[in-house]
Amino acid sequence: MRAILFPGQGSQYKGMGRGLFPAFPAETRLASDILGYDIEELCAQDPRRQLVQTQFTQPALYVVNAFHYQKQYAGAPPGFLAGHSLGEYNALLAAGAFDFETGLRLVQKRGELMAAASGGGMAAVIGLSAGELQSLLREGGYDDIDLANFNAPGQIVIAGKKESIEKVVEGFKAKDITIMPLAVSAPFHSRYMKPAAEAFAGFLKDFSFNPLRIPVIANATARPYEEEALVELLSTQIASSVRWVDSIRFLMGRGVEDYEEVGGSILSRMVKDIRAKCTPIMEEKVVLQAPVEHKPKVTLKAEPPSASIKYPSQEREPAARPKPVAEPNGTLATRLGSAAFREGHSVKYAYIAGAMYRGIASKELVVRMGRAKMIGYLGTGGMSLNEIEDNIKYIQSQLTQGEAYGMNLLHHLTDPVFEMKTVELYLKYGIQRIEAAAYMQMTESLVYYRLRGLRRGTGGEVVCDNKILAKVSRPEVAQAFMSPAPEKIIQKLLDKELVSQEQAELSKQVPMSHDICVEADSGGHTDGGVALVLLPSIQRLRKDIQVQQNYAQPIRVGLAGGIGTPQSAACAFVMGADFILTGSINQCTVEAGMSDEVKTMLQDINVQDTAYAPAGDMFEIGAKVQVLRKGVLFPARANKLYNLYQQYGSLEEIPEKTIRQIEKNYFKQSIADIWEQTRAYFTNRGEPEEIEKAEQNPRHKMALVFRWYFGYSSRAALAGDMEHKVNFQVHTGPALGAFNQWVKGTELERWQNRHADQVGARIMEEAALLLENTLKAIGKE
């Protein structure tokens, strides 16, 4: 049996494909049109020395690989296909997953996202097994290094932060271990590429794929692609190890004897080494497990449990219309969701007002919620430690009777010191609830917070004083929060004497978080997830982990994203949500820290009045935020800046007319002035390396200048500076538009009458009424 292999990045060279382009004139023209440059000139001549740059390398290799395969192998399909990293796209093309144009657009975006990543490095280690290499890295304390490529026996590529890679290279050379730094701009196929993988996952949603005609071995699993997992594997591949050794071992176990490499010999040498030194993988079949859909029964304590619910005709007047409620419907409304959640937090409703950055979820909002026996989280993102401390003091001076409240804790990938100082501040003031956001994995700060609140109760049970509300939009992140704290991090904390041995032991009996909030598409940073898909998947995951770990207390799974009306709240509880969390609708309340001018704009929006724009804090990788579109130009202008960043290599390359337009309309000042402000900002923060990097890398300088616009647009909105209204950046989702339509014609139509606690209570009471009426209607059938 035969397998055809496609090489990836590193196999490019000047002159590649020289004789192929004339044989495929239509495809060559199409590729040049899509890419915006002459693909034949790039591959054959490389006049501007761009072939080594990831955003050019990947499309070039894809095109040349495709032409090679079409010319040599199209008439004789093999038994299997495989590709190394980028080469996997050519394998999928050959298998019929997509056509040439679609594949090129995917590769173009992938290359751009991976090129935008920076701050890391890679190195090839020769002569060590994976186990030996991992032991050495562990002994050296290199916890931030990943094994990126398993290329051949004794040939493994590592990836990580640049300074860590440099230390490893120096240390290994001192031990006479062969290690070679690679000329790359980022730590590909490692945890540090997760933002790029997430952005690519969002991009993939616009594409559909065909069934595979030939089995393709996936780098991430070393097993054949399962069609339902194709999108997931394409996105995760960017941040996953390339398991090339196991891929070939799998093919060996399937009886493949003939391995033919398209257009090169790099992979052929690896295969020869693997076949000589490794045994085949013989299992019959490994299926990638997709989440099992879980449809919970609806159990409402006010009525007998119902195995299924039908919704009555909507010809009648919906019960969700807000009306004055003389006597609060305090029976079912206060029993929706999880009783354990309400009791654990001492709140009336299973309802949360979530954190919104820069204090939009303000101290006044948190206090108002607490006094109403509800819970709100302070939006600490963008605040200094002194600002956070002042807010804590205010809240604690107002809530003196044990009322519930919490603080936001944002993951700081590039500034773990600030994250730890924030946790230390929370522990200093006895903050017992935090909302953990933007986490992809557990960090030392997060584990420190959790463990410091563990103790034995009077009955010997484990008591968790420090509660973490984990906002997640991916099952693997949910799994990390549902699991006990990682032992490696615990050991670090023990070594630093930050936690006790008893706390370390107790941590094995509890998850990192008892409250998991599934975040579907929402205002601000968003993965665009669908609640109907995400919630059942993570509920099933919860069930499996609960059985596996045998926790004494159950994990609670709630829902956020798109909740702004009683109907949406009722749907969440019918799906089995233990609690709900709202965000956008609270931004347009009296207590919110947003400017009055923006609140007036927000009270009139509808569900179609939001748009997606680049995220300023993750500008280079194209991550998205959902923002206000009506009455502002920010989304269009932000996307224009990102397109310019994608199209040009420096500010100097942008046409002068475009620069003048940006300075006049977007920035309201010259780019030179903005650069001086940017220099001063990083100098004051003690980060001169950012300035040095920008001065050496024109594209990075362009990114920093463009990112200034995102900070300015947020500040203008928060200040309500109407002179700059068109540039307002306001994070919000369509849930607010739905809320506005619901309250139209009532006292809540004007934001001056909206109070966060009353809005929450009204939604819960009306959701309960809607469900009661639904059940009554079913009983009459």
Side-chain angles (χ1 to χ4, degrees):
M1 190 179 294
R2 181 176 62 149
I4 291 179
L5 314 177
F6 296 89
Q9 200 163 341
S11 63
Q12 75 274 9
Y13 60 92
K14 180 179 176 180
M16 67 179 188
R18 194 187 299 274
L20 293 171
F21 292 99
F24 299 93
E27 289 83 358
T28 300
R29 285 193 301 273
L30 175 64
S32 297
D33 289 343
I34 291 171
L35 297 171
Y37 51 81
D38 188 329
I39 186 65
E40 183 176 2
E41 180 189 63
L42 172 67
C43 294
Q45 301 173 32
D46 192 21
R48 288 170 288 279
R49 299 183 180 179
Q50 295 171 317
L51 202 52
V52 295
Q53 298 176 32
T54 298
Q55 66 269 36
F56 293 96
T57 307
Q58 295 196 12
L61 278 171
Y62 171 82
V63 171
V64 171
N65 280 345
F67 290 174
H68 266 301
Y69 179 83
Q70 189 64 27
K71 186 174 182 179
Q72 292 179 250
Y73 302 103
F80 289 90
L81 294 160
H84 191 284
S85 191
L86 178 278
E88 191 161 292
Y89 287 76
N90 286 104
L92 290 166
L93 171 66
F98 41 70
D99 59 20
F100 174 81
E101 178 180 347
T102 299
L104 181 58
R105 292 188 186 278
L106 295 177
V107 167
Q108 180 186 29
K109 184 66 173 179
R110 180 182 189 266
E112 290 169 355
L113 290 170
M114 294 178 73
S118 61
M122 303 179 78
V125 182
I126 309 299
L128 296 179
S129 68
E132 291 168 336
L133 178 54
Q134 286 174 323
S135 294
L136 285 169
L137 292 174
R138 189 164 50 248
E139 290 168 10
Y142 298 112
D143 295 331
D144 55 350
I145 297 290
D146 289 343
L147 306 190
N149 296 359
F150 296 84
N151 288 334
Q155 185 189 135
I156 300 171
V157 175
I158 59 174
K161 296 176 181 177
K162 187 177 180 181
E163 58 271 21
S164 296
I165 291 291
E166 290 172 349
K167 288 179 182 176
V168 172
V169 170
E170 182 180 352
F172 278 24
K173 285 184 176 179
K175 296 179 179 180
D176 291 326
I177 297 170
T178 303
I179 183 168
M180 297 174 289
L182 303 181
V184 295
S185 59
F188 302 141
H189 296 292
S190 73
R191 74 188 84 167
Y192 304 103
M193 300 301 293
K194 284 183 179 178
E198 291 174 2
F200 193 55
F203 179 75
L204 287 171
K205 291 176 182 175
D206 295 332
F207 295 85
S208 58
F209 300 96
N210 305 318
L212 302 183
R213 296 192 297 265
I214 305 169
V216 176
I217 309 304
N219 285 181
T221 62
R223 301 294 187 275
Y225 267 87
E226 296 289 335
E227 287 173 15
E228 66 272 17
L230 194 146
V231 170
E232 180 187 353
L233 283 174
L234 282 179
S235 58
T236 57
Q237 187 222 43
I238 293 174
S240 300
S241 301
V242 176
R243 298 176 58 188
W244 190 248
V245 171
D246 283 348
S247 296
I248 301 304
R249 291 180 61 216
F250 179 85
L251 292 174
M252 290 164 59
R254 294 303 171 278
V256 175
E257 293 289 338
D258 186 12
Y259 298 82
E260 295 184 26
E261 181 177 357
V262 172
S265 60
I266 294 175
L267 299 182
S268 298
R269 291 196 294 270
M270 293 180 186
V271 169
K272 183 179 180 180
D273 199 17
I274 294 167
R275 295 181 71 191
K277 297 177 181 177
C278 298
T279 58
I281 293 175
M282 301 301 297
E283 75 253 34
E284 283 302 312
K285 187 176 183 182
V286 176
V287 178
L288 186 69
Q289 292 293 325
V292 179
E293 185 176 357
H294 175 54
K295 299 179 180 177
K297 294 182 179 181
V298 179
T299 303
L300 304 175
K301 293 183 180 177
E303 297 285 345
S306 170
S308 62
I309 282 188
K310 296 178 185 176
Y311 284 93
S313 167
Q314 298 207 2
E315 293 174 5
R316 62 185 178 85
E317 176 71 11
R321 185 77 179 186
K323 304 170 223 171
V325 182
E327 191 75 30
N329 181 25
T331 53
L332 181 56
T334 57
R335 285 188 280 171
L336 290 175
S338 164
F341 175 88
R342 295 190 302 274
E343 292 163 8
H345 295 285
S346 301
V347 292
K348 183 177 181 181
Y349 302 109
Y351 179 97
I352 297 170
M356 290 174 284
Y357 79 134
R358 295 177 184 264
I360 294 174
S362 65
K363 59 184 186 296
E364 292 82 7
L365 187 151
V366 171
V367 168
R368 179 107 188 185
M369 293 294 288
R371 286 175 174 167
K373 291 200 71 178
M374 302 168 80
I375 184 169
Y377 286 83
L378 180 73
T380 61
M383 287 186 184
S384 69
L385 291 172
N386 287 336
E387 289 173 320
I388 296 172
E389 186 169 20
D390 289 343
N391 276 265
I392 292 173
K393 289 178 178 178
Y394 173 85
I395 292 168
Q396 292 186 339
S397 72
Q398 300 297 309
L399 300 179
T400 59
Q401 304 301 314
E403 299 94 336
Y405 68 91
M407 304 285 145
N408 179 228
L409 181 67
L410 277 174
H411 177 37
H412 284 267
L413 179 63
T414 58
D415 195 356
V417 173
F418 182 85
E419 186 180 320
M420 179 58 87
K421 286 182 177 178
T422 305
V423 165
E424 290 170 349
L425 185 64
Y426 290 165
L427 293 173
K428 173 183 174 183
Y429 283 92
I431 302 301
Q432 294 193 336
R433 294 174 186 85
I434 63 169
E435 178 195 283
Y439 283 85
M440 296 301 294
Q441 59 189 358
M442 299 304 96
T443 66
E444 192 172 317
S445 307
L446 204 56
V447 174
Y448 177 44
Y449 175 82
R450 181 64 163 170
L451 266 64
R452 279 291 299 271
L454 297 181
R455 59 183 173 85
R456 286 244 180 239
T458 53
E461 75 281 6
V462 181
V463 177
C464 305
D465 289 327
N466 292 348
K467 301 171 177 64
I468 296 175
L469 170 69
K471 294 177 78 172
V472 303
S473 57
R474 300 176 65 88
E476 69 270 21
V477 181
Q479 183 173 0
F481 276 105
M482 291 179 184
S483 302
E487 290 187 11
K488 275 203 311 189
I489 297 179
I490 293 173
Q491 189 57 54
K492 277 186 176 181
L493 295 172
L494 286 170
D495 292 343
K496 294 177 182 179
E497 299 183 350
L498 292 175
V499 299
S500 69
Q501 189 64 50
E502 182 186 25
Q503 289 167 332
E505 290 300 319
L506 293 177
S507 71
K508 298 175 183 178
Q509 301 177 47
V510 295
M512 276 295 295
S513 170
H514 278 104
D515 293 317
I516 307 296
C517 184
V518 177
E519 192 170 28
D521 191 32
S522 61
H525 290 81
T526 179
D527 287 337
V530 179
L532 294 174
V533 175
L534 274 175
L535 183 61
S537 300
I538 292 179
Q539 286 170 328
R540 174 57 195 236
L541 178 65
R542 180 260 309 270
K543 179 180 178 182
D544 293 343
I545 291 177
Q546 190 77 39
V547 170
Q548 209 176 65
Q549 298 289 346
N550 195 27
Y551 293 133
Q553 294 183 6
I555 296 169
R556 302 176 287 261
V557 176
L559 183 63
I563 299 176
T565 61
Q567 292 94 330
S568 55
C571 287
F573 289 120
V574 167
M575 290 178 68
D578 290 318
F579 57 89
I580 59 173
L581 182 148
T582 60
S584 294
I585 62 173
N586 303 316
Q587 185 170 202
C588 199
T589 61
V590 172
E591 297 77 29
M594 180 52 79
S595 63
D596 290 354
E597 291 79 5
V598 169
K599 291 178 188 178
T600 300
M601 295 168 67
L602 288 174
Q603 76 177 13
D604 295 324
I605 71 168
N606 208 326
V607 293
Q608 72 274 16
D609 292 327
T610 63
Y612 295 97
D617 54 348
M618 293 186 279
F619 177 78
E620 292 90 330
I621 65 170
K624 297 292 184 183
V625 289
Q626 191 163 194
V627 296
L628 174 67
R629 176 172 58 183
K630 183 179 180 181
V632 299
L633 295 176
F634 171 79
R637 290 179 171 180
N639 281 303
K640 172 70 172 178
L641 292 176
Y642 183 69
N643 290 337
L644 290 172
Y645 174 76
Q646 293 293 96
Q647 188 175 355
Y648 298 101
S650 67
L651 290 166
E652 290 70 26
E653 291 180 18
I654 301 174
E656 187 178 346
K657 181 180 177 182
T658 303
I659 289 290
R660 286 201 303 270
Q661 178 191 29
I662 291 171
E663 290 179 327
K664 179 183 176 183
N665 298 326
Y666 294 27
F667 297 163
K668 309 290 186 184
Q669 55 186 298
S670 71
I671 284 176
D673 288 341
I674 289 170
W675 176 238
E676 286 307 310
Q677 293 173 42
T678 303
R679 286 174 58 91
Y681 171 78
F682 283 110
T683 300
N684 293 336
R685 281 175 58 94
E687 298 178 27
E689 65 275 7
E690 280 293 329
I691 301 169
E692 294 170 11
K693 179 180 176 182
E695 289 174 343
Q696 295 171 5
N697 183 340
R699 197 158 188 267
H700 185 59
K701 180 179 179 180
M702 176 169 56
L704 293 183
V705 168
F706 286 173
R707 279 166 58 180
W708 174 93
Y709 175 71
F710 293 82
Y712 143 72
S713 58
S714 289
R715 292 190 298 272
L718 286 164
D721 187 349
M722 296 302 282
E723 184 182 345
H724 299 271
K725 174 188 170 185
V726 293
N727 287 319
F728 280 2
Q729 178 184 181
V730 182
H731 291 189
T732 191
L736 179 55
F739 178 88
N740 289 340
Q741 299 310 301
W742 172 51
V743 300
K744 204 167 185 178
T746 75
E747 77 281 3
L748 295 182
E749 184 169 1
R750 296 178 68 247
W751 68 262
Q752 290 88 344
N753 295 327
R754 301 178 187 179
H755 295 280
D757 60 324
Q758 294 174 5
V759 165
R762 183 71 67 88
I763 286 176
M764 293 295 290
E765 299 292 348
E766 296 286 350
L769 185 58
L770 176 64
L771 288 169
E772 284 183 330
N773 289 341
T774 300
L775 289 169
K776 287 175 184 176
I778 292 171
K780 291 177 182 179
E781 289 185 359

